[in-house]
Structures are given as C-alpha cells and as structure tokens.
Amino acid sequence: MVVAFFHPYCNAGGGGERVLWCAIRALQKKYKDAIYVVYTGDKDVTGEQIVESAFRRFNIKLTHPVKFVFLEKRYLVEASLYPHFTLLGQSLGSVFLGWEALMKCVPDVYIDSMGYAFTLPLFKYLGGCRVGCYVHYPTISTDMLSMVRSQNARFNNAAFITRNPLLSKLKLVYYYLFAFVYGLVGSRSDVIMVNSSWTLNHILSLWRAGACTSVVYPPCDVQTFLDIPLHEEKSTTEYSIVSLGQFRPEKDHPLQIRAFAKFLEKTAVGQQSLPKLILIGGCRNQQDEQRVNRLKKLCEELGVDKKVEFKVNIPFEELKQYLADAIIGLHTMWNEHFGIGIVECMAAGTIILAHNSGGPKLDIVVPYEGHITGFLAENEDDYFETMAQILSLSPEKRLEIRQNARRSVNRFADQEFEGAFLLSVEPLFK
C-alpha cells in the first residue's frame, strides 16, 4: 500500500510540518508494511536533509524511510504569482501541481496535509485513491465573507476595495462563488480532520460533511517543554518577551512591534531594566525574508531596533532556551486556526498573551479547573496594556499562572494526537 501526503512546503518548519511528521510517524507504527510518500516542492534540499531538518526542528524521528516526490511546479501555488484573485489563482495552481504529483506517483491513500482542497477530487476520481485531509485553516471562511461585507481592511482585503462600495460588492460575489466551489471540492474527501473548534465550525458550514469530520488537535511537543524547569524570577534578570511563529503576513508581527514600542515608550520612565522582544520564526521563501527586512526597518523607524532581536530558522535547542528565559509569550494573529506556538510557549512556562479570536480563544487560552492560564488581547492598546499588567504582577502570581498553563496543555500532547489521528484515518485503510 502506498500512502501519500501532499505537502509542497514540507521543509518549512512550521506547525503544519509538525503535524505532517507526527502523522507519518504514527502511521508507520501501525501500518508498518506501507510505503510512505511525500509530494514536496523543496527541490533545493535532499530527502535526507528534509528528514534531518524534521528531527532538528521538531525532535521527531521516523521509524522507517520516506520517499520524496519532488515537484517542479510549486511556483503555481505561490501567492506572489497572483496579485489579484489570489485564492482562485492558488487553488487552480494547486490542481496543476496535484496533476504533476499524480503523474509521478499514484497512491492508494492520498492525504492533503496542507489545505489544498482542490486536489481532492483529482486524486479521488482520476487517481482512484481513498482521500483524506487535515485542515489547518479554511481557504475561505465565513469571517472573511463578513469582513468584506462590512468593508473592513485587513492584509487580505485591500484598503482601495474597502473604500469602494462597488468593488466590495464584486469581491463579495467572488468570495461567495469561491466558497461554494470550495465546499464542493472539500466535501469529496472520505475523511476530514480539522485542528480546532474554530476550524470545525467553518468547515462544517462550508463543506457540510459532518459525518466524516472530526477535530484532531495538532501534536505539540509539550513534554520536551514541560521538562524545562520553572525558574524562580530574579530581580537582576533581564526580562524577555518571545514571539514564536513563521514570518507570514497573517501572523501580524508589525502589531507586536508597535505594541512593544508603545509599551517601552509608556513605561521607560523610572524603569532600570526594560524587556527585550525576541521574534523567533521560520522563513519559507524570499518573500518571507523580505518581510523580516521590512520588520527590521519598522523597528528602526519606531526607535526600538536595539530592543528587538530576530531569530530565523534556529535549531530546536536554541528555541527551547529562549522560551525558558522568557516571561511573556506573544502571539498576534487574528483568527489563528489553532496555535501550536502558543501551546509550546505555555508548556515552556511563559505567560501567553494571544489574540482574542480563533483557536487561542476557543481551545487553548481557556480557564483550567477554574484558574487563569493566560491573557487575550485584540489591538495595539490591548497588547501594550496587558504586557504592562503581566509585568506588574508579583513573581508569585506569575508563577501561579505559569503552573496553571502548564497543567492545561497535556491534552495537546503528541500521544493524544496519534490516537485521535489513527482513529480518524481508519476508514482509509479498510
């Protein structure tokens, strides 16, 4: 039996890639005789380097070899190729990329682990495969529809459109048509897994395939972070605020920097030791690298470049050390589907400050046995004020919140994911 995962960016080093490698490891343990294939566009590295990178970044070691099918046309799913009608362009591009994958290897079981729903009918009807998918984030959501309807500017809703009622109406029609087709292709899947309550609500409303849909929380290496001892805070220690997340536009790193700059500006008087902000994340491509350069420029413009550090594609051990030393874990993405980085920050003992939406609000930063596990915010002022509030708490109170957060994250452990994932995909192997 050949089991193939469609994951064009399998070497990216984000939460989606952690799901991929944990899923393959779980299947290898149960279905030892199967051949496992990953379709990837990472042509600049070898298969051995990809596996080594998964171990180095995620501490995941596979029990059996994996075959890699290297795709030439990954550029077809790059957002930069479609300055307008991006969703449609990327989705059609994924069909051509999927066709290339199918021509190079026809599997028995096909799992889309990156959110390219338009490939599902291709493998099901032309490839004759049993198909499943793990949805991290719906390509379009009912929130996006309401955002365009209310003419609210976001990174994926340009200001010139929000200012023009006609353009807003046309975009709304485009979104509704796209949502309809997205629902059609997604519902072709035999097994649908989603990563959070937020994603579940959207996928149920768009795909209407509740009978084969289940929530499978993504695997978080909580034990590795729980092994980090909780240090008693010392007054001589320089505080650090750590942000963990890939350098993508939706992660909204500029909000972190602006809120941090405001915090420094408002609290600088009378403070001997001000915290520093450490932005840790992965860069997938040249666009991400350019984004980091723009963020550095923003730091210079706001006069905080001496207090902000960027750590790009760093090894796992180094990441652990930064989390162990941090007081606050910062996260600013609106409607984050889940937030593996948030769980890791909580497990490592930081006090999390996340966006009051999506997975963080519904699944992660929720009271545990009636006790607070972290904080939520929505805008620049919220973040700045909550940073100040957290740092004004006594070390004893902060320790109590950190301990509560640690106890709450065991439900997101690797073992929990493996059990839920294997149960969900069972129909594909019958």
Side-chain angles (χ1 to χ4, degrees):
M1 178 183 282
V2 177
V3 181
F5 284 81
F6 190 75
H7 208 104
Y9 295 90
C10 73
N11 201 38
E17 288 65 60
R18 181 160 231 291
V19 169
L20 169 71
W21 302 119
C22 281
I24 292 174
R25 184 176 64 182
L27 290 172
Q28 285 183 341
K29 287 178 191 172
K30 185 169 181 181
Y31 305 101
K32 295 181 174 65
D33 296 331
I35 295 168
Y36 295 91
V37 171
V38 176
Y39 299 114
T40 179
D42 294 302
K43 298 181 297 177
D44 55 336
V45 288
T46 64
E48 292 78 12
Q49 287 172 319
I50 293 172
V51 172
E52 169 59 31
S53 175
F55 176 67
R56 187 170 55 87
R57 290 185 187 174
F58 305 122
N59 203 29
I60 295 171
K61 201 161 188 69
L62 301 178
T63 55
H64 296 87
V66 170
K67 294 182 185 298
F68 290 91
V69 173
F70 291 94
L71 306 174
E72 299 293 326
K73 296 183 172 63
R74 188 177 73 178
Y75 65 89
L76 291 174
V77 296
E78 292 276 358
S80 57
L81 192 62
Y82 312 101
H84 306 294
F85 300 99
T86 311
L87 294 181
L88 181 62
Q90 285 183 291
S91 297
L92 293 176
S94 74
V95 175
F96 287 101
L97 188 63
W99 178 253
E100 181 192 348
L102 188 59
M103 289 299 97
K104 289 184 173 179
C105 173
V106 181
D108 298 290
V109 174
Y110 170 81
I111 299 174
D112 163 41
S113 51
M114 240 195 125
Y116 293 107
F118 281 70
T119 63
L120 294 167
L122 189 69
F123 278 82
K124 183 167 186 172
Y125 298 119
L126 296 182
C129 313
R130 281 156 282 171
V131 300
C133 60
Y134 188 96
V135 184
H136 298 273
Y137 197 85
T139 304
I140 191 165
S141 68
T142 48
D143 286 346
M144 289 167 69
L145 294 169
S146 61
M147 178 183 65
V148 176
R149 198 183 302 114
S150 61
Q151 295 179 243
N152 185 6
R154 287 268 177 185
F155 78 91
N156 56 356
N157 194 33
F160 77 89
I161 291 177
T162 65
R163 288 194 296 265
N164 188 313
L166 177 61
L167 288 178
S168 288
K169 282 188 173 63
L170 289 173
K171 183 165 185 176
L172 194 59
V173 171
Y174 158 55
Y175 267 17
Y176 270 111
L177 288 172
F178 183 87
F180 174 73
V181 179
Y182 179 61
L184 281 182
V185 297
S187 61
R188 300 305 95 193
S189 192
D190 302 309
V191 166
I192 301 164
M193 293 165 282
V194 298
N195 65 347
S196 69
S197 304
W198 182 86
T199 308
L200 175 70
N201 294 337
H202 288 283
I203 289 299
L204 288 178
S205 69
L206 291 164
W207 292 11
R208 303 182 189 280
C212 57
T213 306
S214 57
V215 176
V216 178
Y217 288 130
C220 307
D221 191 12
V222 294
Q223 194 52 54
T224 302
F225 291 99
L226 290 171
D227 288 341
I228 299 171
L230 278 186
H231 297 296
E232 288 292 332
E233 294 176 29
K234 300 183 180 73
S235 56
T236 54
T237 305
E238 184 184 22
Y239 292 144
S240 65
I241 298 170
V242 165
S243 160
L244 187 57
Q246 286 183 306
F247 290 105
R248 303 205 306 256
E250 64 269 25
K251 296 295 182 183
D252 206 354
H253 288 93
L255 173 57
Q256 298 178 6
I257 293 167
R258 289 194 303 270
F260 180 68
K262 185 172 279 192
F263 169 77
L264 291 183
E265 179 192 337
K266 303 284 185 183
T267 58
V269 181
Q271 291 281 341
Q272 290 184 341
S273 178
L274 289 168
K276 59 185 176 183
L277 174 62
I278 301 170
L279 302 176
I280 302 172
C283 280
R284 303 162 299 171
N285 49 36
Q286 192 179 356
Q287 282 84 12
D288 287 355
E289 288 164 11
Q290 290 169 351
R291 196 167 291 112
V292 170
N293 289 333
R294 289 197 295 272
L295 291 171
K296 288 178 179 176
K297 194 173 178 198
L298 176 63
C299 291
E300 288 172 12
E301 289 168 4
L302 296 173
V304 295
D305 49 305
K306 299 283 193 298
K307 279 289 184 181
V308 180
E309 296 177 16
F310 290 82
K311 305 294 175 183
V312 181
N313 296 335
I314 62 173
F316 187 71
E317 288 303 314
E318 194 178 338
L319 163 68
K320 273 171 60 180
Q321 191 54 54
Y322 281 116
L323 287 179
D325 295 339
I327 294 287
I328 297 174
L330 191 58
H331 183 275
T332 46
M333 179 176 167
W334 171 71
N335 272 342
E336 170 72 274
H337 34 91
F338 179 73
I340 288 180
I342 295 170
V343 174
E344 290 175 343
C345 284
M346 291 166 74
T350 71
I351 295 180
I352 196 69
L353 172 53
H355 200 280
N356 189 26
S357 62
K361 178 183 181 180
L362 296 175
D363 293 315
I364 305 174
V365 191
V366 295
Y368 178 72
E369 295 180 351
H371 299 292
I372 186 172
T373 57
F375 296 85
L376 297 167
E378 288 188 27
N379 53 47
E380 194 177 310
D381 287 335
D382 277 354
Y383 275 98
F384 135 65
E385 287 165 7
T386 312
M387 281 181 207
Q389 179 190 346
I390 293 169
L391 292 175
S392 69
L393 296 172
S394 67
E396 293 76 25
K397 182 61 180 173
R398 282 201 291 261
L399 182 61
E400 183 187 317
I401 296 170
R402 293 158 74 197
Q403 288 169 335
N404 292 337
R406 279 193 144 188
R407 284 193 289 268
S408 75
V409 296
N410 279 314
R411 66 193 191 279
F412 305 124
D414 284 0
Q415 308 88 286
E416 298 291 326
F417 167 81
E418 287 191 8
F421 179 81
L422 290 173
L423 191 64
S424 295
V425 299
E426 217 169 70
L428 300 177
F429 291 84
K430 284 179 177 171

CSV table of all heavy atoms in Angstrom, one decimal, residues 5-48:
chain,number,residue,atom,x,y,z
A,5,PHE,N,1.3,11.9,1.1
A,5,PHE,CA,0.9,13.2,1.7
A,5,PHE,C,1.3,14.3,0.8
A,5,PHE,O,2.4,14.3,0.3
A,5,PHE,CB,1.7,13.4,3.1
A,5,PHE,CG,1.2,12.6,4.2
A,5,PHE,CD1,1.5,11.2,4.3
A,5,PHE,CD2,0.3,13.1,5.1
A,5,PHE,CE1,1.1,10.5,5.4
A,5,PHE,CE2,-0.2,12.4,6.2
A,5,PHE,CZ,0.2,11.0,6.3
A,6,PHE,N,0.3,15.2,0.5
A,6,PHE,CA,0.6,16.3,-0.3
A,6,PHE,C,1.0,17.5,0.5
A,6,PHE,O,0.1,18.0,1.3
A,6,PHE,CB,-0.7,16.6,-1.1
A,6,PHE,CG,-0.5,17.7,-2.2
A,6,PHE,CD1,0.2,17.3,-3.4
A,6,PHE,CD2,-1.0,19.0,-2.1
A,6,PHE,CE1,0.3,18.2,-4.4
A,6,PHE,CE2,-0.8,19.9,-3.1
A,6,PHE,CZ,-0.1,19.5,-4.3
A,7,HIS,N,2.2,17.8,0.5
A,7,HIS,CA,2.7,18.9,1.4
A,7,HIS,C,3.9,19.6,0.7
A,7,HIS,O,5.1,19.4,1.0
A,7,HIS,CB,3.2,18.3,2.7
A,7,HIS,CG,3.1,19.2,3.9
A,7,HIS,ND1,2.1,19.1,4.9
A,7,HIS,CD2,3.8,20.3,4.3
A,7,HIS,CE1,2.3,20.0,5.8
A,7,HIS,NE2,3.3,20.8,5.4
A,8,PRO,N,3.5,20.5,-0.2
A,8,PRO,CA,4.6,21.2,-1.1
A,8,PRO,C,5.7,21.9,-0.3
A,8,PRO,O,6.7,22.2,-0.8
A,8,PRO,CB,3.7,22.1,-1.9
A,8,PRO,CG,2.4,21.6,-2.0
A,8,PRO,CD,2.2,20.9,-0.6
A,9,TYR,N,5.4,22.3,1.0
A,9,TYR,CA,6.4,23.1,1.8
A,9,TYR,C,6.8,22.2,3.0
A,9,TYR,O,6.8,22.7,4.1
A,9,TYR,CB,5.8,24.4,2.2
A,9,TYR,CG,5.5,25.4,1.1
A,9,TYR,CD1,4.3,25.4,0.5
A,9,TYR,CD2,6.5,26.2,0.6
A,9,TYR,CE1,4.0,26.2,-0.6
A,9,TYR,CE2,6.2,27.1,-0.4
A,9,TYR,CZ,5.0,27.1,-1.0
A,9,TYR,OH,4.7,27.9,-2.1
A,10,CYS,N,7.1,21.0,2.8
A,10,CYS,CA,7.3,20.1,3.9
A,10,CYS,C,8.6,20.4,4.7
A,10,CYS,O,8.8,20.0,5.8
A,10,CYS,CB,7.4,18.6,3.5
A,10,CYS,SG,8.9,18.2,2.6
A,11,ASN,N,9.4,21.3,4.2
A,11,ASN,CA,10.7,21.7,4.9
A,11,ASN,C,10.6,23.1,5.5
A,11,ASN,O,11.5,23.6,5.9
A,11,ASN,CB,11.9,21.7,3.9
A,11,ASN,CG,13.2,21.5,4.6
A,11,ASN,OD1,13.3,20.8,5.6
A,11,ASN,ND2,14.2,22.2,4.1
A,12,ALA,N,9.3,23.6,5.6
A,12,ALA,CA,9.1,25.0,6.1
A,12,ALA,C,9.4,25.2,7.6
A,12,ALA,O,9.8,26.2,8.0
A,12,ALA,CB,7.7,25.5,5.7
A,13,GLY,N,9.2,24.1,8.4
A,13,GLY,CA,9.5,24.2,9.8
A,13,GLY,C,8.4,24.8,10.7
A,13,GLY,O,8.7,25.3,11.8
A,14,GLY,N,7.1,24.9,10.2
A,14,GLY,CA,6.1,25.4,11.0
A,14,GLY,C,5.2,24.4,11.6
A,14,GLY,O,5.5,23.2,11.6
A,15,GLY,N,4.1,24.8,12.2
A,15,GLY,CA,3.2,23.8,12.9
A,15,GLY,C,2.6,22.8,12.0
A,15,GLY,O,2.4,21.7,12.4
A,16,GLY,N,2.3,23.2,10.7
A,16,GLY,CA,1.8,22.3,9.8
A,16,GLY,C,2.7,21.1,9.4
A,16,GLY,O,2.3,20.0,9.2
A,17,GLU,N,4.0,21.5,9.4
A,17,GLU,CA,5.0,20.4,9.2
A,17,GLU,C,5.1,19.5,10.4
A,17,GLU,O,5.4,18.3,10.2
A,17,GLU,CB,6.4,21.1,8.8
A,17,GLU,CG,6.4,21.8,7.5
A,17,GLU,CD,5.5,23.0,7.4
A,17,GLU,OE1,5.6,23.9,8.2
A,17,GLU,OE2,4.5,22.9,6.6
A,18,ARG,N,4.9,20.0,11.6
A,18,ARG,CA,5.0,19.1,12.7
A,18,ARG,C,3.8,18.1,12.7
A,18,ARG,O,4.0,16.9,13.0
A,18,ARG,CB,4.9,20.0,14.0
A,18,ARG,CG,4.9,19.1,15.3
A,18,ARG,CD,5.3,19.9,16.5
A,18,ARG,NE,6.3,19.3,17.2
A,18,ARG,CZ,6.2,18.2,17.9
A,18,ARG,NH1,5.0,17.6,17.9
A,18,ARG,NH2,7.2,17.6,18.5
A,19,VAL,N,2.7,18.5,12.2
A,19,VAL,CA,1.5,17.6,12.0
A,19,VAL,C,1.9,16.5,11.0
A,19,VAL,O,1.7,15.3,11.2
A,19,VAL,CB,0.3,18.4,11.5
A,19,VAL,CG1,-0.8,17.4,11.1
A,19,VAL,CG2,-0.3,19.3,12.6
A,20,LEU,N,2.5,16.9,9.9
A,20,LEU,CA,2.9,16.0,8.8
A,20,LEU,C,3.8,14.9,9.4
A,20,LEU,O,3.5,13.7,9.2
A,20,LEU,CB,3.6,16.8,7.7
A,20,LEU,CG,4.4,15.9,6.7
A,20,LEU,CD1,3.3,15.2,5.8
A,20,LEU,CD2,5.3,16.8,5.8
A,21,TRP,N,4.9,15.3,10.1
A,21,TRP,CA,5.9,14.3,10.5
A,21,TRP,C,5.3,13.4,11.6
A,21,TRP,O,5.6,12.2,11.7
A,21,TRP,CB,7.2,14.9,10.9
A,21,TRP,CG,7.8,15.7,9.8
A,21,TRP,CD1,8.0,17.1,9.8
A,21,TRP,CD2,8.2,15.2,8.5
A,21,TRP,NE1,8.5,17.5,8.6
A,21,TRP,CE2,8.6,16.3,7.8
A,21,TRP,CE3,8.1,14.0,7.9
A,21,TRP,CZ2,9.1,16.2,6.5
A,21,TRP,CZ3,8.6,13.9,6.6
A,21,TRP,CH2,9.1,15.0,5.9
A,22,CYS,N,4.5,14.0,12.5
A,22,CYS,CA,3.9,13.2,13.6
A,22,CYS,C,2.8,12.2,13.0
A,22,CYS,O,2.7,11.1,13.4
A,22,CYS,CB,3.2,14.1,14.6
A,22,CYS,SG,4.3,14.8,15.8
A,23,ALA,N,2.1,12.6,11.9
A,23,ALA,CA,1.2,11.8,11.3
A,23,ALA,C,1.9,10.6,10.6
A,23,ALA,O,1.4,9.4,10.7
A,23,ALA,CB,0.4,12.6,10.2
A,24,ILE,N,2.9,10.9,9.9
A,24,ILE,CA,3.7,9.8,9.2
A,24,ILE,C,4.3,8.8,10.3
A,24,ILE,O,4.2,7.6,10.1
A,24,ILE,CB,4.8,10.4,8.3
A,24,ILE,CG1,4.2,11.1,7.1
A,24,ILE,CG2,5.7,9.2,7.8
A,24,ILE,CD1,5.2,11.8,6.3
A,25,ARG,N,4.8,9.4,11.4
A,25,ARG,CA,5.4,8.5,12.4
A,25,ARG,C,4.3,7.6,13.0
A,25,ARG,O,4.5,6.4,13.2
A,25,ARG,CB,6.0,9.4,13.5
A,25,ARG,CG,6.7,8.6,14.6
A,25,ARG,CD,7.4,9.5,15.6
A,25,ARG,NE,6.4,10.4,16.3
A,25,ARG,CZ,6.8,11.3,17.2
A,25,ARG,NH1,8.0,11.5,17.5
A,25,ARG,NH2,5.8,12.0,17.8
A,26,ALA,N,3.1,8.2,13.3
A,26,ALA,CA,2.0,7.4,13.8
A,26,ALA,C,1.6,6.3,12.9
A,26,ALA,O,1.4,5.1,13.3
A,26,ALA,CB,0.8,8.3,14.1
A,27,LEU,N,1.5,6.6,11.6
A,27,LEU,CA,1.1,5.6,10.6
A,27,LEU,C,2.1,4.5,10.4
A,27,LEU,O,1.8,3.3,10.3
A,27,LEU,CB,0.8,6.2,9.2
A,27,LEU,CG,-0.5,7.1,9.2
A,27,LEU,CD1,-0.5,7.8,7.8
A,27,LEU,CD2,-1.7,6.2,9.3
A,28,GLN,N,3.4,4.9,10.5
A,28,GLN,CA,4.5,3.9,10.3
A,28,GLN,C,4.5,2.9,11.5
A,28,GLN,O,4.8,1.7,11.3
A,28,GLN,CB,5.8,4.6,10.3
A,28,GLN,CG,6.1,5.3,9.0
A,28,GLN,CD,7.5,5.9,8.9
A,28,GLN,OE1,8.2,6.2,9.9
A,28,GLN,NE2,8.0,6.2,7.7
A,29,LYS,N,4.1,3.3,12.7
A,29,LYS,CA,4.0,2.4,13.8
A,29,LYS,C,2.9,1.4,13.6
A,29,LYS,O,3.0,0.2,14.0
A,29,LYS,CB,3.7,3.2,15.1
A,29,LYS,CG,4.9,4.0,15.6
A,29,LYS,CD,4.5,4.8,16.9
A,29,LYS,CE,5.6,5.8,17.3
A,29,LYS,NZ,5.1,6.6,18.4
A,30,LYS,N,1.7,1.8,13.1
A,30,LYS,CA,0.6,0.9,12.9
A,30,LYS,C,0.6,0.2,11.6
A,30,LYS,O,0.2,-1.0,11.6
A,30,LYS,CB,-0.7,1.8,13.1
A,30,LYS,CG,-2.0,0.9,13.1
A,30,LYS,CD,-3.2,1.7,13.4
A,30,LYS,CE,-4.4,0.8,13.5
A,30,LYS,NZ,-5.7,1.5,13.8
A,31,TYR,N,0.9,0.8,10.5
A,31,TYR,CA,0.9,0.2,9.2
A,31,TYR,C,2.3,0.1,8.7
A,31,TYR,O,2.8,0.8,7.9
A,31,TYR,CB,0.0,1.0,8.3
A,31,TYR,CG,-1.4,1.2,8.8
A,31,TYR,CD1,-1.8,2.4,9.3
A,31,TYR,CD2,-2.3,0.2,8.7
A,31,TYR,CE1,-3.1,2.6,9.8
A,31,TYR,CE2,-3.7,0.4,9.2
A,31,TYR,CZ,-4.0,1.6,9.7
A,31,TYR,OH,-5.3,1.8,10.2
A,32,LYS,N,3.0,-0.9,9.3
A,32,LYS,CA,4.5,-1.0,9.1
A,32,LYS,C,4.9,-1.3,7.6
A,32,LYS,O,5.9,-1.0,7.2
A,32,LYS,CB,5.1,-2.0,10.0
A,32,LYS,CG,5.0,-1.7,11.5
A,32,LYS,CD,5.6,-2.7,12.4
A,32,LYS,CE,5.7,-2.3,13.8
A,32,LYS,NZ,4.4,-2.2,14.5
A,33,ASP,N,4.0,-2.1,6.9
A,33,ASP,CA,4.3,-2.5,5.6
A,33,ASP,C,4.0,-1.5,4.5
A,33,ASP,O,4.4,-1.8,3.3
A,33,ASP,CB,3.6,-3.8,5.3
A,33,ASP,CG,4.0,-5.0,6.2
A,33,ASP,OD1,5.2,-4.9,6.7
A,33,ASP,OD2,3.2,-5.8,6.6
A,34,ALA,N,3.4,-0.5,4.8
A,34,ALA,CA,3.0,0.5,3.8
A,34,ALA,C,4.2,1.3,3.4
A,34,ALA,O,5.2,1.5,4.1
A,34,ALA,CB,1.9,1.5,4.3
A,35,ILE,N,4.2,1.9,2.1
A,35,ILE,CA,5.2,2.8,1.6
A,35,ILE,C,4.7,4.2,1.8
A,35,ILE,O,3.6,4.5,1.4
A,35,ILE,CB,5.5,2.5,0.1
A,35,ILE,CG1,6.1,1.0,0.0
A,35,ILE,CG2,6.5,3.5,-0.4
A,35,ILE,CD1,6.1,0.6,-1.4
A,36,TYR,N,5.5,5.1,2.4
A,36,TYR,CA,5.1,6.4,2.6
A,36,TYR,C,5.8,7.4,1.7
A,36,TYR,O,7.0,7.4,1.6
A,36,TYR,CB,5.3,6.8,4.1
A,36,TYR,CG,4.4,5.9,5.0
A,36,TYR,CD1,4.9,4.7,5.5
A,36,TYR,CD2,3.1,6.3,5.3
A,36,TYR,CE1,4.1,3.9,6.3
A,36,TYR,CE2,2.3,5.5,6.0
A,36,TYR,CZ,2.8,4.3,6.5
A,36,TYR,OH,1.9,3.5,7.3
A,37,VAL,N,5.0,8.3,1.1
A,37,VAL,CA,5.5,9.2,0.1
A,37,VAL,C,5.1,10.6,0.5
A,37,VAL,O,4.0,10.8,1.0
A,37,VAL,CB,4.9,8.9,-1.3
A,37,VAL,CG1,5.2,10.0,-2.3
A,37,VAL,CG2,5.4,7.5,-1.8
A,38,VAL,N,6.0,11.6,0.3
A,38,VAL,CA,5.6,13.0,0.5
A,38,VAL,C,5.9,13.7,-0.8
A,38,VAL,O,7.0,13.7,-1.4
A,38,VAL,CB,6.5,13.6,1.6
A,38,VAL,CG1,6.1,15.1,1.7
A,38,VAL,CG2,6.2,12.9,2.9
A,39,TYR,N,4.8,14.4,-1.3
A,39,TYR,CA,4.9,15.2,-2.5
A,39,TYR,C,5.4,16.6,-2.0
A,39,TYR,O,4.8,17.2,-1.2
A,39,TYR,CB,3.6,15.5,-3.2
A,39,TYR,CG,2.9,14.2,-3.7
A,39,TYR,CD1,1.7,13.8,-3.2
A,39,TYR,CD2,3.5,13.5,-4.8
A,39,TYR,CE1,1.1,12.6,-3.7
A,39,TYR,CE2,2.8,12.4,-5.3
A,39,TYR,CZ,1.7,12.0,-4.8
A,39,TYR,OH,1.0,10.9,-5.3
A,40,THR,N,6.6,17.1,-2.5
A,40,THR,CA,7.1,18.3,-2.0
A,40,THR,C,7.7,19.1,-3.1
A,40,THR,O,8.1,18.6,-4.2
A,40,THR,CB,8.2,18.1,-0.9
A,40,THR,OG1,8.7,19.4,-0.5
A,40,THR,CG2,9.4,17.3,-1.4
A,41,GLY,N,7.7,20.5,-2.9
A,41,GLY,CA,8.4,21.3,-3.9
A,41,GLY,C,9.7,21.8,-3.5
A,41,GLY,O,10.3,22.7,-4.1
A,42,ASP,N,10.2,21.2,-2.4
A,42,ASP,CA,11.5,21.7,-1.8
A,42,ASP,C,12.7,21.0,-2.6
A,42,ASP,O,13.4,20.1,-2.1
A,42,ASP,CB,11.6,21.3,-0.3
A,42,ASP,CG,10.6,22.1,0.5
A,42,ASP,OD1,10.6,23.3,0.5
A,42,ASP,OD2,9.8,21.5,1.2
A,43,LYS,N,12.9,21.5,-3.8
A,43,LYS,CA,13.9,20.9,-4.7
A,43,LYS,C,15.4,21.3,-4.3
A,43,LYS,O,16.3,20.7,-4.8
A,43,LYS,CB,13.7,21.4,-6.1
A,43,LYS,CG,12.3,21.0,-6.7
A,43,LYS,CD,12.2,21.5,-8.1
A,43,LYS,CE,12.2,23.0,-8.2
A,43,LYS,NZ,12.1,23.5,-9.5
A,44,ASP,N,15.5,22.3,-3.4
A,44,ASP,CA,16.8,22.8,-3.1
A,44,ASP,C,17.5,21.9,-2.0
A,44,ASP,O,18.6,22.2,-1.6
A,44,ASP,CB,16.8,24.2,-2.6
A,44,ASP,CG,15.8,24.4,-1.5
A,44,ASP,OD1,14.9,23.6,-1.3
A,44,ASP,OD2,16.0,25.4,-0.7
A,45,VAL,N,16.8,20.9,-1.5
A,45,VAL,CA,17.4,20.0,-0.5
A,45,VAL,C,17.1,18.6,-0.9
A,45,VAL,O,16.2,18.3,-1.7
A,45,VAL,CB,16.8,20.3,0.9
A,45,VAL,CG1,17.3,21.6,1.5
A,45,VAL,CG2,15.2,20.3,0.9
A,46,THR,N,17.8,17.7,-0.2
A,46,THR,CA,17.6,16.2,-0.5
A,46,THR,C,16.6,15.7,0.5
A,46,THR,O,16.3,16.3,1.6
A,46,THR,CB,18.9,15.4,-0.3
A,46,THR,OG1,19.3,15.5,1.0
A,46,THR,CG2,20.0,16.0,-1.3
A,47,GLY,N,16.1,14.5,0.2
A,47,GLY,CA,15.2,13.8,1.2
A,47,GLY,C,15.8,13.6,2.5
A,47,GLY,O,15.2,13.8,3.6
A,48,GLU,N,17.1,13.3,2.5
A,48,GLU,CA,17.8,13.0,3.8
A,48,GLU,C,17.9,14.3,4.6
A,48,GLU,O,17.7,14.3,5.9
A,48,GLU,CB,19.2,12.5,3.6
A,48,GLU,CG,19.3,11.1,3.0
A,48,GLU,CD,19.0,11.0,1.5
A,48,GLU,OE1,18.9,12.1,0.9
A,48,GLU,OE2,18.7,9.9,1.0
